[in-house]
Amino acid sequence: MRHAIVVDRLSKRYLIGATPRDTMLRDRIVNLARGRWNRRASTAPMWALRDISLTVREGETVGIIGRNGAGKSTLLKVLSKITHPTSGRFTTRGRVASLLEVGTGFHDELTGRDNVFLNGSIMGMKKREVDASFDQIVAYAGVERFIDTPVKHYSSGMRLRLGFAVAAHLSPDILIVDEVHAVGDAGFQNKCMRTLEALRSDGRTVLFVSHNMAALESLCTRAVWLDEGELREDGAAGPVIRSYLSAIGENGQRSDLRANERRSGDGRVRFTNVEWLSIDRAPQTITRTGEAVVLRLCYHAKADVPQASVGFRLFSESGALAISASTWQNGIAIPVIPAGHGHIDVLLSCVNLTPGRYSLTLWLTDGPYGSFVYDEIEHCAYIDIAPGRPEWGGNIDSRYGLVYLPRQWDLSGVAQMASIDAAPAV
């Protein structure tokens, strides 16, 4: 298989504190008023990328991961030819479409219609090729009423939708996407992910930056981990993601609640941490529809607390209640929570939730009716549910509801009916 992208010892250096030579007259006047006209700004080199070498085969979907400032966006900008490398070189094969910022490449004074054709022209497409995809682009973005309005009057959401629609529909051989889809609402995020999956299935090459590890592992077969501008690890998505999360101290989906001030209760017992674990109590980096997961609720009690009840709720991104559970519901009594640190584990043997992000609310009260609250925190943590395996609704998403019910289809009746219909009349 041919290489779509080849990167050879690529480096990018910035000078921190440097003042551009083409500073506007307005800025020069301001600097003069501040006494900076003859003062040279102190500069220091900062390597955003250093000796990056990698190859991406045609049809691969590669996730780029790393901390903020690791060089992910800089790498995408270089490959998109938005900025030039300081040293090294790279080659790309075919048409490249990129979506790095809201409305990248749009001209504010032009209408949405004009910008679609402008972007197509920049990609080297003929007018008839853009015409063939134009209606799909407009429908996808949902801007039919405003397509002949200058984009300077668009909201950020409208610009985002149109920008992604253009990038995805103008037949790119390589699509480069920063995590701009996170700006949209939950419905648009799901649409973006389905589009990226369709492009992957169609054999397009996709480079995808995301901090959502569940989405990244679901979409990508390969991950590239950048650390302070250098290539730290490159390989299968699952192992690279686990190495990354372990290195940054987020080995699993874990939330520290000790500094959370959005809580109520008298404080005799406080939740300190939330952890999502596998059934063998190992850190859980990815939770899929249909799999088991352990919710560990860590706490600290200032003194012995008798007759306690612990509960939690999970809410979808739209705010719908997905589940509400407590020890009281299951007939479990906690005679006393002793002073000190401890934890309570909740085994969810089968997570029937459809893919998406769910927020967690916790409470700890003095009994089944919660007449006295020791601690309660709303939307204090979250869990990302990734698509399950084929037998567990591998193609479903939030369009199909909050809960996936395992099912079996019996088609024997169809076969029998077909044979009856095919039988000759007597």
Side-chain angles (χ1 to χ4, degrees), residues 321-384:
L321 176 63
I323 183 175
S324 178
S326 67
T327 51
W328 170 74
Q329 281 183 352
N330 294 110
I332 297 173
I334 305 178
V336 63
I337 292 181
H341 293 280
H343 65 263
I344 296 171
D345 288 351
V346 188
L347 171 61
L348 306 176
S349 57
C350 186
V351 178
N352 287 24
L353 297 174
T354 55
R357 172 166 288 190
Y358 297 83
S359 66
L360 180 71
T361 290
L362 303 175
W363 69 86
L364 202 157
T365 64
D366 66 339
Y369 303 107
S371 56
F372 194 87
V373 177
Y374 299 118
D375 196 16
E376 182 173 6
I377 322 178
E378 295 185 354
H379 307 294
C380 59
Y382 65 85
I383 182 172
D384 288 312

Side-chain angles (χ1 to χ4, degrees), residues 201-241:
S201 301
D202 195 37
R204 310 290 181 177
T205 304
V206 179
L207 288 189
F208 178 52
V209 165
S210 180
H211 289 285
N212 185 331
M213 296 297 111
L216 192 142
E217 186 176 17
S218 172
L219 181 68
C220 305
T221 56
R222 175 183 168 194
V224 172
W225 172 14
L226 297 183
D227 186 18
E228 296 185 351
E230 298 183 356
L231 180 58
R232 178 82 172 264
E233 193 170 338
D234 181 0
V240 174
I241 290 172

